[in-house]
Amino acid sequence: GEGMNKYIITGVQGSGKGTVARRLVQDFDLVHISVGDIFRWHIQHHTKMGARVKRIVASGHLVPDATVEEVVRERLGIHDWNYGFLLDGFPRNPEQALFYLENYDCDAVIQLDISDEDVMARITNRRLCSKCRLDYNLINHRPKVPDQCDVCGAPLIARPDDKPDAIRNRLADYHEQTVPTLELFSKKGLIVRVDATQSPDLVYEDLCAKLGLKIPAATKGV
């Protein structure tokens, strides 16, 4: 209907996807549907599905398509959005994309473009305070004293999943699975690409312009 926007957002970890998603959700009243968050909810609440997913993930496997599709079908069946939704962490492969396209419509698939080198640089420069959990980035948010939190003085650490090998695995997985998935959407003319190496504000302005969305005056540059 009028003013209803259904988007899928894709981008590797480190592309700034979380920031873009937060702003879109806030500015355009979209419902953020993160498949990863739904799985985490099930695990935390000890549901049957949570137990199933936990077992699969613990054994180092990806959650099977049937389970992912079940979660998406159930979540989209709630229809709790008035202005649309932003689907995140799905579809992960061509099978899931076909399932989506056969069952639901989509206005655009947002693709945040960033090279593997840029992702590596961004992520390996992230630090976290070991005590108060404040985030640092050695590129543009350096601590005043090296390796020490400005707020509480505790040592800064790298996140465990920010080790270069873990990042390389995630990137390989992304290229192997997500890139062929995007080709399916590309054939339908649904992909909207944005250069994710720009500043967060420019990425967002660029994206909204390409989607034909007018950013509310009050939130510009916030």
Side-chain angles (χ1 to χ4, degrees):
E2 228 296 286
M4 170 80 80
N5 296 304
K6 296 177 179 176
Y7 301 126
I8 290 170
I9 189 166
T10 69
V12 290
Q13 208 166 352
S15 63
K17 189 175 69 153
T19 308
V20 171
R22 254 197 316 281
R23 290 179 72 172
L24 281 174
V25 163
Q26 192 186 324
D27 284 352
F28 303 103
D29 286 325
L30 305 177
V31 174
H32 186 208
I33 300 177
S34 157
V35 173
D37 285 350
I38 296 172
F39 283 144
R40 279 186 283 278
W41 184 92
H42 277 284
I43 291 168
Q44 279 161 3
H45 291 80
H46 306 287
T47 66
K48 272 196 184 123
M49 172 168 293
R52 206 160 83 210
V53 168
K54 202 172 169 177
R55 239 189 353 261
I56 295 163
V57 175
S59 65
H61 295 288
L62 288 173
V63 180
D65 294 341
T67 308
V68 176
E69 288 166 11
E70 185 187 332
V71 163
V72 170
R73 192 186 293 274
E74 193 179 286
R75 183 62 190 83
L76 290 177
I78 298 173
H79 288 292
D80 56 347
W81 55 87
N82 295 316
Y83 301 102
F85 57 76
L86 184 65
L87 190 52
D88 189 350
F90 173 90
R92 279 271 163 87
N93 60 36
E95 290 71 30
Q96 293 176 10
L98 281 172
F99 160 80
Y100 184 86
L101 288 166
E102 281 164 11
N103 293 282
Y104 306 101
D105 41 308
C106 180
D107 294 298
V109 175
I110 299 161
Q111 185 181 345
L112 298 177
D113 275 336
I114 186 168
S115 71
D116 287 4
E117 295 75 43
D118 281 326
V119 168
M120 288 301 275
R122 271 189 191 184
I123 298 183
T124 51
N125 279 293
R126 290 200 297 208
R127 294 290 181 276
L128 183 65
C129 172
S130 52
K131 195 167 158 204
C132 72
R133 312 313 270 179
L134 188 69
D135 277 305
Y136 289 86
N137 188 313
L138 305 184
I139 300 171
N140 50 24
H141 179 196
R142 310 177 75 104
K144 291 184 185 65
V145 177
D147 300 322
Q148 193 179 314
C149 180
D150 293 345
V151 178
C152 72
L156 300 184
I157 52 170
R159 296 159 184 273
D161 59 344
D162 284 356
K163 300 279 185 286
D165 282 349
I167 304 163
R168 268 192 278 273
N169 289 341
R170 288 204 297 267
L171 286 167
D173 194 56
Y174 182 81
H175 293 299
E176 209 171 292
Q177 297 283 342
T178 308
V179 176
T181 307
L182 291 170
E183 278 165 22
L184 278 167
F185 291 116
S186 178
K187 287 190 184 117
K188 298 211 175 293
L190 291 169
I191 303 256
V192 171
R193 298 176 67 160
V194 185
D195 171 7
T197 59
Q198 312 174 86
S199 76
D201 282 344
L202 282 176
V203 169
Y204 189 62
E205 282 163 28
D206 206 6
L207 174 62
C208 289
K210 286 181 172 169
L211 291 172
L213 296 172
K214 204 168 155 33
I215 302 174
T219 71
K220 273 208 173 114
V222 171

